[in-house]
Amino acid sequence: MTGNVLSRRALIAGAAAAVTWAGLPRARATAPAHTLPDLPYGFDALEGAIDAATMEIHHGRHHAGYVKTLNAALSEQPALAGESLEALFARVSTLPPVIRNHGGGHWNHSLFWTLMAPPGTGGDPSAALSADLQRAFGSLDDFKAAFAKASAGQFGAGWGWLVMTDDGLRITTTANQDNPLMDVAPVRGRPILGVDVWEHAYYLRYQNRRADYLDAWWTVVNWSEVNRLHAAGG
Amino acid sequence: MAFELPELPYSYDALAPYMSRETLEFHHDKHHLAYVNNGNNLLKGTDLEGKSVEEVVVGSFGKNAGLFNNAGQHFNHIHFWKWMKPNGGGAIPGELEKKIVEDFGSVAKLREDFIQAGVTQFGSGWAWLSVKDGKLVVSKTPNGENPLVHGATPILGVDVWEHSYYIDYRNLRPKYLEAFFDSLVNWEYVAELYAKA
């Protein structure tokens, strides 16, 4: 799989497909609205920071589980199946929790895979992103320290995020599979970088040492994709 | 009094194969210890310093999230170690079994409800059997929260943070919960807490 699985075009295509099958009699509604994206690299490609076993279980079990549960829920709610996840997230507090938990799980992981690349291939922050990071945090190193500290401090399962807001770049965290697009998020914004701090993301190699995982994670960040999201407005 | 890390009431390999030595070493020596140390640091200078862990849990709920998280997890883990034993599961002491049948219909129904609560706790947290208003109830809580802050007295709890089962079961939380209920629960300790509740 190449490119960003969350591109607007893909989302529109997905939504259109969902509308089509949602309008059919139930017995013929077989096409799932959401699918598990392939990883854009091999399970062992991030080995320097994340081991192959973790990647395989994370993608093939955890992410696949979110997709399966989300599709099962949407098959019971055809009206929701016709909308993009982003549109649902904006009013997620009014929807069944399965959208928040499993829709969030699918969206967050789909983004997460694209935000990583084999060590040495992810490039560097662009001049425009660097300027915004400096404005908001002082320097790239200051940003990294603040991002890691916030992500390490998320108590329990959750995510650390860098988001674009009307007031510039901000760091935030969310619990479980929430994300900053949701109306329940403490800080709302458009994510351009996110790190999974559920224990399943790092426990096999790092156990209780979440800070070590976060430290190693910088070696596999795909800055090229972060730059692209930043240029596109998140 | 300052929080203190209790010793495990059995050896690190006593719960194998249902819970490995490796899991217990990290869970007890690293995770629980961190809650004790962080809790003690966060207690300093608060009006809850010197109180019992139960008083700190209830007193910090909704007021001091950092302290509550760590105090809650300290309380939860103190009991979690005692809620398990080698060759656990099996027969439930008479009075408690009678009450379970009275409130759930059968032990099998309690098992089903308890496991379901653990499976459906999304993210980190706990599943519980508590006494509330004289009745046994099953519930679930996120992160470090527990039934004490909901007016109930927990008599059995299972940790469903991934650190409690990921080494031994990976993503298979239901398998872990079945093994906990069938082969690890120390029903004598549950009955002791029930008698006091």
Side-chain angles (χ1 to χ4, degrees), chain B residues 1 43 45-52 55-60 67:
Chain B
M1 70 209 83
L43 262 172
T46 72
D47 55 5
L48 293 169
E49 205 172 354
K51 305 275 191 190
S52 71
E55 288 172 308
V56 176
V57 168
V58 174
S60 61
L67 177 57

Side-chain angles (χ1 to χ4, degrees), chain B residues 19-96:
Chain B
M19 189 174 283
S20 66
R21 160 183 282 272
E22 193 184 3
T23 292
L24 280 170
E25 283 175 348
F26 283 112
H27 201 170
H28 176 270
D29 299 1
K30 305 291 184 184
H31 291 281
H32 191 170
L33 180 64
Y35 299 130
V36 168
N37 290 339
N38 293 337
N40 282 331
N41 287 333
L42 293 163
L43 262 172
K44 280 178 195 151
T46 72
D47 55 5
L48 293 169
E49 205 172 354
K51 305 275 191 190
S52 71
V53 62
E54 291 84 359
E55 288 172 308
V56 176
V57 168
V58 174
S60 61
F61 183 56
K63 294 175 187 156
N64 182 338
L67 177 57
F68 174 75
N69 289 338
N70 287 285
Q73 285 292 68
H74 180 44
F75 173 89
N76 297 347
H77 285 85
I78 288 171
H79 294 285
F80 184 57
W81 309 131
K82 297 187 196 172
W83 278 320
M84 300 184 288
K85 68 169 189 178
N87 303 308
I92 300 175
E95 281 301 302
L96 176 59

Side-chain angles (χ1 to χ4, degrees), chain A residues 70-90:
Chain A
L70 174 65
N71 282 331
L74 290 176
S75 72
E76 302 294 322
Q77 307 255 359
L80 300 182
E83 293 189 60
S84 71
L85 287 177
E86 284 90 339
L88 297 177
F89 293 161

Side-chain angles (χ1 to χ4, degrees), chain B:
Chain B
M1 70 209 83
F3 294 164
E4 281 179 34
L5 182 68
E7 295 280 324
L8 283 185
Y10 33 72
S11 68
Y12 286 100
D13 47 18
L15 304 184
Y18 307 107
M19 189 174 283
S20 66
R21 160 183 282 272
E22 193 184 3
T23 292
L24 280 170
E25 283 175 348
F26 283 112
H27 201 170
H28 176 270
D29 299 1
K30 305 291 184 184
H31 291 281
H32 191 170
L33 180 64
Y35 299 130
V36 168
N37 290 339
N38 293 337
N40 282 331
N41 287 333
L42 293 163
L43 262 172
K44 280 178 195 151
T46 72
D47 55 5
L48 293 169
E49 205 172 354
K51 305 275 191 190
S52 71
V53 62
E54 291 84 359
E55 288 172 308
V56 176
V57 168
V58 174
S60 61
F61 183 56
K63 294 175 187 156
N64 182 338
L67 177 57
F68 174 75
N69 289 338
N70 287 285
Q73 285 292 68
H74 180 44
F75 173 89
N76 297 347
H77 285 85
I78 288 171
H79 294 285
F80 184 57
W81 309 131
K82 297 187 196 172
W83 278 320
M84 300 184 288
K85 68 169 189 178
N87 303 308
I92 300 175
E95 281 301 302
L96 176 59
E97 186 182 24
K98 205 175 130 202
K99 181 67 174 166
I100 289 170
V101 172
E102 192 180 313
D103 290 345
F104 292 94
S106 66
V107 173
K109 183 66 166 67
L110 163 66
R111 180 183 183 278
E112 186 189 328
D113 289 0
F114 187 79
I115 290 172
Q116 181 66 7
V119 169
T120 57
Q121 171 53 46
F122 193 77
S124 312
W126 293 74
W128 302 98
L129 174 65
S130 305
V131 180
K132 186 171 188 181
D133 303 327
K135 208 168 180 297
L136 292 178
V137 290
V138 165
S139 66
K140 56 188 175 182
T141 56
N143 299 326
E145 198 175 301
N146 63 47
L148 290 178
V149 299
H150 301 290
T153 305
I155 62 172
L156 177 65
V158 63
D159 190 345
V160 295
W161 283 58
E162 287 170 325
H163 64 231
S164 194
Y165 61 88
Y166 214 76
I167 289 172
D168 300 323
Y169 300 89
R170 304 292 196 263
N171 59 304
L172 304 178
R173 192 190 286 187
K175 295 278 178 219
Y176 156 67
L177 288 165
E178 287 163 15
F180 176 86
F181 197 96
D182 297 339
S183 306
L184 289 175
V185 173
N186 179 355
W187 286 109
E188 286 73 29
Y189 184 58
V190 181
E192 189 186 319
L193 293 177
Y194 169 66
K196 281 193 231 163

